[in-house]
mmCIF file of all heavy atoms in Angstrom:
data_model
loop_
_atom_site.group_PDB
_atom_site.id
_atom_site.type_symbol
_atom_site.label_atom_id
_atom_site.label_comp_id
_atom_site.label_asym_id
_atom_site.label_seq_id
_atom_site.Cartn_x
_atom_site.Cartn_y
_atom_site.Cartn_z
ATOM 1 N N PHE A 284 -20.868 -10.057 9.904
ATOM 2 C CA PHE A 284 -21.130 -9.983 8.462
ATOM 3 C C PHE A 284 -20.973 -11.298 7.789
ATOM 4 O O PHE A 284 -21.716 -11.655 6.856
ATOM 5 C CB PHE A 284 -20.185 -8.908 7.905
ATOM 6 C CG PHE A 284 -20.279 -8.772 6.412
ATOM 7 C CD1 PHE A 284 -21.456 -8.308 5.826
ATOM 8 C CD2 PHE A 284 -19.197 -9.052 5.634
ATOM 9 C CE1 PHE A 284 -21.543 -8.181 4.456
ATOM 10 C CE2 PHE A 284 -19.288 -8.933 4.237
ATOM 11 C CZ PHE A 284 -20.468 -8.509 3.686
ATOM 12 N N LEU A 285 -19.953 -12.061 8.241
ATOM 13 C CA LEU A 285 -19.617 -13.320 7.584
ATOM 14 C C LEU A 285 -20.372 -14.480 8.155
ATOM 15 O O LEU A 285 -20.322 -15.591 7.682
ATOM 16 C CB LEU A 285 -18.124 -13.601 7.700
ATOM 17 C CG LEU A 285 -17.210 -12.696 6.884
ATOM 18 C CD1 LEU A 285 -15.777 -13.060 7.111
ATOM 19 C CD2 LEU A 285 -17.535 -12.822 5.391
ATOM 20 N N ASN A 286 -21.135 -14.226 9.248
ATOM 21 C CA ASN A 286 -21.847 -15.283 9.912
ATOM 22 C C ASN A 286 -23.162 -15.571 9.198
ATOM 23 O O ASN A 286 -24.242 -15.428 9.764
ATOM 24 C CB ASN A 286 -22.044 -14.961 11.404
ATOM 25 C CG ASN A 286 -22.530 -16.160 12.152
ATOM 26 O OD1 ASN A 286 -22.166 -17.275 11.874
ATOM 27 N ND2 ASN A 286 -23.430 -15.911 13.115
ATOM 28 N N GLN A 287 -23.095 -16.003 7.960
ATOM 29 C CA GLN A 287 -24.334 -16.328 7.273
ATOM 30 C C GLN A 287 -24.038 -17.468 6.306
ATOM 31 O O GLN A 287 -22.855 -17.799 6.077
ATOM 32 C CB GLN A 287 -24.818 -15.081 6.502
ATOM 33 C CG GLN A 287 -23.733 -14.377 5.732
ATOM 34 C CD GLN A 287 -24.188 -13.081 5.173
ATOM 35 O OE1 GLN A 287 -25.268 -13.012 4.561
ATOM 36 N NE2 GLN A 287 -23.411 -11.999 5.299
ATOM 37 N N THR A 288 -25.051 -18.079 5.809
ATOM 38 C CA THR A 288 -24.829 -19.164 4.906
ATOM 39 C C THR A 288 -25.235 -18.782 3.480
ATOM 40 O O THR A 288 -26.413 -18.785 3.165
ATOM 41 C CB THR A 288 -25.642 -20.416 5.371
ATOM 42 O OG1 THR A 288 -26.906 -19.951 5.793
ATOM 43 C CG2 THR A 288 -24.950 -21.143 6.506
ATOM 44 N N VAL A 289 -24.223 -18.377 2.759
ATOM 45 C CA VAL A 289 -24.426 -18.139 1.312
ATOM 46 C C VAL A 289 -23.416 -18.946 0.587
ATOM 47 O O VAL A 289 -22.432 -19.450 1.191
ATOM 48 C CB VAL A 289 -24.303 -16.665 0.940
ATOM 49 C CG1 VAL A 289 -25.486 -15.871 1.512
ATOM 50 C CG2 VAL A 289 -22.989 -16.105 1.360
ATOM 51 N N PHE A 290 -23.586 -19.048 -0.699
ATOM 52 C CA PHE A 290 -22.629 -19.856 -1.486
ATOM 53 C C PHE A 290 -21.209 -19.271 -1.382
ATOM 54 O O PHE A 290 -21.001 -18.055 -1.546
ATOM 55 C CB PHE A 290 -23.085 -19.841 -2.943
ATOM 56 C CG PHE A 290 -22.103 -20.583 -3.843
ATOM 57 C CD1 PHE A 290 -22.008 -21.957 -3.792
ATOM 58 C CD2 PHE A 290 -21.302 -19.885 -4.716
ATOM 59 C CE1 PHE A 290 -21.116 -22.626 -4.626
ATOM 60 C CE2 PHE A 290 -20.400 -20.541 -5.547
ATOM 61 C CZ PHE A 290 -20.297 -21.933 -5.474
ATOM 62 N N GLY A 291 -20.238 -20.136 -1.070
ATOM 63 C CA GLY A 291 -18.834 -19.714 -1.036
ATOM 64 C C GLY A 291 -18.431 -18.985 0.235
ATOM 65 O O GLY A 291 -17.394 -18.358 0.234
ATOM 66 N N ILE A 292 -19.249 -19.082 1.286
ATOM 67 C CA ILE A 292 -18.897 -18.293 2.526
ATOM 68 C C ILE A 292 -17.569 -18.764 3.111
ATOM 69 O O ILE A 292 -16.791 -17.978 3.659
ATOM 70 C CB ILE A 292 -20.039 -18.391 3.568
ATOM 71 C CG1 ILE A 292 -19.826 -17.351 4.674
ATOM 72 C CG2 ILE A 292 -20.156 -19.794 4.125
ATOM 73 C CD1 ILE A 292 -19.970 -15.952 4.222
ATOM 74 N N ARG A 293 -17.258 -20.067 2.941
ATOM 75 C CA ARG A 293 -16.001 -20.513 3.488
ATOM 76 C C ARG A 293 -14.824 -19.814 2.824
ATOM 77 O O ARG A 293 -13.855 -19.475 3.444
ATOM 78 C CB ARG A 293 -15.830 -22.029 3.220
ATOM 79 C CG ARG A 293 -16.474 -22.870 4.320
ATOM 80 C CD ARG A 293 -16.612 -24.298 3.875
ATOM 81 N NE ARG A 293 -17.501 -25.008 4.734
ATOM 82 C CZ ARG A 293 -17.095 -25.674 5.837
ATOM 83 N NH1 ARG A 293 -15.803 -25.697 6.130
ATOM 84 N NH2 ARG A 293 -17.935 -26.294 6.602
ATOM 85 N N LEU A 294 -14.958 -19.596 1.527
ATOM 86 C CA LEU A 294 -13.901 -18.905 0.803
ATOM 87 C C LEU A 294 -13.746 -17.459 1.332
ATOM 88 O O LEU A 294 -12.639 -17.018 1.594
ATOM 89 C CB LEU A 294 -14.214 -18.850 -0.687
ATOM 90 C CG LEU A 294 -13.239 -18.116 -1.541
ATOM 91 C CD1 LEU A 294 -11.892 -18.863 -1.613
ATOM 92 C CD2 LEU A 294 -13.743 -17.862 -2.964
ATOM 93 N N TYR A 295 -14.886 -16.783 1.535
ATOM 94 C CA TYR A 295 -14.797 -15.389 2.026
ATOM 95 C C TYR A 295 -14.161 -15.379 3.396
ATOM 96 O O TYR A 295 -13.329 -14.503 3.660
ATOM 97 C CB TYR A 295 -16.185 -14.759 2.049
ATOM 98 C CG TYR A 295 -16.873 -14.785 0.722
ATOM 99 C CD1 TYR A 295 -18.258 -15.046 0.640
ATOM 100 C CD2 TYR A 295 -16.195 -14.526 -0.443
ATOM 101 C CE1 TYR A 295 -18.911 -15.125 -0.553
ATOM 102 C CE2 TYR A 295 -16.827 -14.558 -1.665
ATOM 103 C CZ TYR A 295 -18.199 -14.848 -1.732
ATOM 104 O OH TYR A 295 -18.825 -14.904 -2.927
ATOM 105 N N LYS A 296 -14.563 -16.329 4.237
ATOM 106 C CA LYS A 296 -13.979 -16.345 5.526
ATOM 107 C C LYS A 296 -12.502 -16.542 5.478
ATOM 108 O O LYS A 296 -11.722 -15.866 6.182
ATOM 109 C CB LYS A 296 -14.627 -17.501 6.361
ATOM 110 C CG LYS A 296 -15.999 -17.189 6.894
ATOM 111 C CD LYS A 296 -16.513 -18.365 7.721
ATOM 112 C CE LYS A 296 -17.978 -18.126 8.173
ATOM 113 N NZ LYS A 296 -18.546 -19.320 8.766
ATOM 114 N N SER A 297 -12.054 -17.466 4.617
ATOM 115 C CA SER A 297 -10.631 -17.694 4.542
ATOM 116 C C SER A 297 -9.934 -16.445 4.033
ATOM 117 O O SER A 297 -8.824 -16.109 4.495
ATOM 118 C CB SER A 297 -10.285 -18.837 3.593
ATOM 119 O OG SER A 297 -11.349 -19.722 3.429
ATOM 120 N N LEU A 298 -10.521 -15.753 3.090
ATOM 121 C CA LEU A 298 -9.866 -14.563 2.565
ATOM 122 C C LEU A 298 -9.734 -13.480 3.651
ATOM 123 O O LEU A 298 -8.710 -12.814 3.733
ATOM 124 C CB LEU A 298 -10.654 -13.979 1.395
ATOM 125 C CG LEU A 298 -10.580 -14.785 0.087
ATOM 126 C CD1 LEU A 298 -11.407 -14.194 -1.013
ATOM 127 C CD2 LEU A 298 -9.104 -14.929 -0.378
ATOM 128 N N PHE A 299 -10.774 -13.344 4.471
ATOM 129 C CA PHE A 299 -10.660 -12.380 5.540
ATOM 130 C C PHE A 299 -9.623 -12.796 6.592
ATOM 131 O O PHE A 299 -8.996 -11.963 7.223
ATOM 132 C CB PHE A 299 -12.036 -12.146 6.220
ATOM 133 C CG PHE A 299 -12.835 -11.130 5.557
ATOM 134 C CD1 PHE A 299 -13.813 -11.452 4.599
ATOM 135 C CD2 PHE A 299 -12.650 -9.756 5.841
ATOM 136 C CE1 PHE A 299 -14.543 -10.462 3.966
ATOM 137 C CE2 PHE A 299 -13.413 -8.807 5.203
ATOM 138 C CZ PHE A 299 -14.333 -9.132 4.250
ATOM 139 N N PHE A 300 -9.475 -14.135 6.722
ATOM 140 C CA PHE A 300 -8.529 -14.613 7.753
ATOM 141 C C PHE A 300 -7.119 -14.543 7.231
ATOM 142 O O PHE A 300 -6.134 -14.609 8.042
ATOM 143 C CB PHE A 300 -8.914 -16.054 8.113
ATOM 144 C CG PHE A 300 -8.181 -16.571 9.276
ATOM 145 C CD1 PHE A 300 -8.198 -15.946 10.499
ATOM 146 C CD2 PHE A 300 -7.370 -17.703 9.127
ATOM 147 C CE1 PHE A 300 -7.439 -16.442 11.548
ATOM 148 C CE2 PHE A 300 -6.667 -18.214 10.214
ATOM 149 C CZ PHE A 300 -6.684 -17.563 11.432
ATOM 150 N N PHE A 301 -6.962 -14.434 5.943
ATOM 151 C CA PHE A 301 -5.661 -14.522 5.322
ATOM 152 C C PHE A 301 -4.575 -13.663 5.928
ATOM 153 O O PHE A 301 -3.441 -14.139 6.208
ATOM 154 C CB PHE A 301 -5.797 -14.210 3.813
ATOM 155 C CG PHE A 301 -4.617 -14.570 3.039
ATOM 156 C CD1 PHE A 301 -4.172 -15.924 2.933
ATOM 157 C CD2 PHE A 301 -3.915 -13.617 2.320
ATOM 158 C CE1 PHE A 301 -3.093 -16.254 2.227
ATOM 159 C CE2 PHE A 301 -2.792 -13.980 1.577
ATOM 160 C CZ PHE A 301 -2.403 -15.309 1.550
ATOM 161 N N PRO A 302 -4.815 -12.367 6.171
ATOM 162 C CA PRO A 302 -3.736 -11.527 6.733
ATOM 163 C C PRO A 302 -3.125 -12.072 8.044
ATOM 164 O O PRO A 302 -1.963 -11.822 8.302
ATOM 165 C CB PRO A 302 -4.375 -10.169 6.962
ATOM 166 C CG PRO A 302 -5.800 -10.365 6.758
ATOM 167 C CD PRO A 302 -6.032 -11.562 5.926
ATOM 168 N N PHE A 303 -3.939 -12.816 8.819
ATOM 169 C CA PHE A 303 -3.396 -13.315 10.063
ATOM 170 C C PHE A 303 -2.409 -14.446 9.827
ATOM 171 O O PHE A 303 -1.467 -14.673 10.588
ATOM 172 C CB PHE A 303 -4.505 -13.836 10.916
ATOM 173 C CG PHE A 303 -4.009 -14.243 12.287
ATOM 174 C CD1 PHE A 303 -3.532 -13.326 13.184
ATOM 175 C CD2 PHE A 303 -4.051 -15.638 12.645
ATOM 176 C CE1 PHE A 303 -3.058 -13.758 14.405
ATOM 177 C CE2 PHE A 303 -3.605 -16.019 13.889
ATOM 178 C CZ PHE A 303 -3.059 -15.085 14.779
ATOM 179 N N VAL A 304 -2.542 -15.114 8.681
ATOM 180 C CA VAL A 304 -1.651 -16.204 8.332
ATOM 181 C C VAL A 304 -0.298 -15.666 7.846
ATOM 182 O O VAL A 304 0.746 -16.261 8.021
ATOM 183 C CB VAL A 304 -2.312 -17.133 7.288
ATOM 184 C CG1 VAL A 304 -1.422 -18.255 6.901
ATOM 185 C CG2 VAL A 304 -3.630 -17.609 7.770
ATOM 186 N N LEU A 305 -0.379 -14.465 7.186
ATOM 187 C CA LEU A 305 0.863 -13.892 6.675
ATOM 188 C C LEU A 305 1.822 -13.587 7.805
ATOM 189 O O LEU A 305 1.378 -13.217 8.917
ATOM 190 C CB LEU A 305 0.539 -12.565 5.989
ATOM 191 C CG LEU A 305 -0.186 -12.640 4.642
ATOM 192 C CD1 LEU A 305 -0.376 -11.236 4.137
ATOM 193 C CD2 LEU A 305 0.635 -13.461 3.635
ATOM 194 N N SER A 306 3.110 -13.737 7.538
ATOM 195 C CA SER A 306 4.117 -13.310 8.481
ATOM 196 C C SER A 306 4.042 -11.795 8.696
ATOM 197 O O SER A 306 3.739 -11.059 7.768
ATOM 198 C CB SER A 306 5.509 -13.730 7.931
ATOM 199 O OG SER A 306 6.427 -12.784 8.348
ATOM 200 N N GLN A 307 4.312 -11.384 9.940
ATOM 201 C CA GLN A 307 4.283 -9.970 10.219
ATOM 202 C C GLN A 307 5.225 -9.180 9.351
ATOM 203 O O GLN A 307 5.008 -8.030 8.981
ATOM 204 C CB GLN A 307 4.664 -9.749 11.736
ATOM 205 C CG GLN A 307 3.629 -10.281 12.666
ATOM 206 C CD GLN A 307 2.607 -9.301 13.048
ATOM 207 O OE1 GLN A 307 2.914 -8.180 13.471
ATOM 208 N NE2 GLN A 307 1.359 -9.613 12.884
ATOM 209 N N VAL A 308 6.338 -9.817 9.021
ATOM 210 C CA VAL A 308 7.325 -9.147 8.169
ATOM 211 C C VAL A 308 6.745 -8.824 6.813
ATOM 212 O O VAL A 308 6.936 -7.762 6.246
ATOM 213 C CB VAL A 308 8.575 -10.033 8.008
ATOM 214 C CG1 VAL A 308 9.567 -9.443 7.064
ATOM 215 C CG2 VAL A 308 9.230 -10.298 9.365
ATOM 216 N N VAL A 309 5.953 -9.783 6.282
ATOM 217 C CA VAL A 309 5.354 -9.545 4.983
ATOM 218 C C VAL A 309 4.301 -8.421 5.098
ATOM 219 O O VAL A 309 4.264 -7.518 4.232
ATOM 220 C CB VAL A 309 4.651 -10.831 4.473
ATOM 221 C CG1 VAL A 309 3.931 -10.595 3.180
ATOM 222 C CG2 VAL A 309 5.683 -11.927 4.309
ATOM 223 N N VAL A 310 3.550 -8.442 6.138
ATOM 224 C CA VAL A 310 2.546 -7.388 6.369
ATOM 225 C C VAL A 310 3.258 -6.023 6.399
ATOM 226 O O VAL A 310 2.823 -5.074 5.729
ATOM 227 C CB VAL A 310 1.743 -7.622 7.683
ATOM 228 C CG1 VAL A 310 0.849 -6.448 7.971
ATOM 229 C CG2 VAL A 310 0.953 -8.897 7.593
ATOM 230 N N GLY A 311 4.369 -5.998 7.151
ATOM 231 C CA GLY A 311 5.119 -4.738 7.255
ATOM 232 C C GLY A 311 5.572 -4.276 5.918
ATOM 233 O O GLY A 311 5.481 -3.089 5.557
ATOM 234 N N LEU A 312 6.134 -5.176 5.131
ATOM 235 C CA LEU A 312 6.672 -4.819 3.822
ATOM 236 C C LEU A 312 5.563 -4.292 2.919
ATOM 237 O O LEU A 312 5.704 -3.233 2.282
ATOM 238 C CB LEU A 312 7.306 -6.038 3.149
ATOM 239 C CG LEU A 312 8.820 -6.150 3.281
ATOM 240 C CD1 LEU A 312 9.270 -7.316 2.444
ATOM 241 C CD2 LEU A 312 9.498 -4.881 2.784
ATOM 242 N N VAL A 313 4.441 -5.033 2.888
ATOM 243 C CA VAL A 313 3.328 -4.644 2.028
ATOM 244 C C VAL A 313 2.863 -3.245 2.384
ATOM 245 O O VAL A 313 2.685 -2.359 1.512
ATOM 246 C CB VAL A 313 2.165 -5.641 2.178
ATOM 247 C CG1 VAL A 313 0.872 -5.076 1.540
ATOM 248 C CG2 VAL A 313 2.541 -6.973 1.541
#
Side-chain angles (χ1 to χ4, degrees):
Chain A
F284 175 65
L285 289 177
N286 191 35
Q287 45 188 315
T288 40
V289 291
F290 176 72
I292 192 68
R293 274 165 194 270
L294 177 69
Y295 304 140
K296 281 182 187 171
S297 337
L298 286 179
F299 272 96
F300 187 58
F301 193 61
F303 185 67
V304 181
L305 289 180
S306 146
Q307 294 269 308
V308 176
V309 176
V310 173
L312 262 185
V313 168

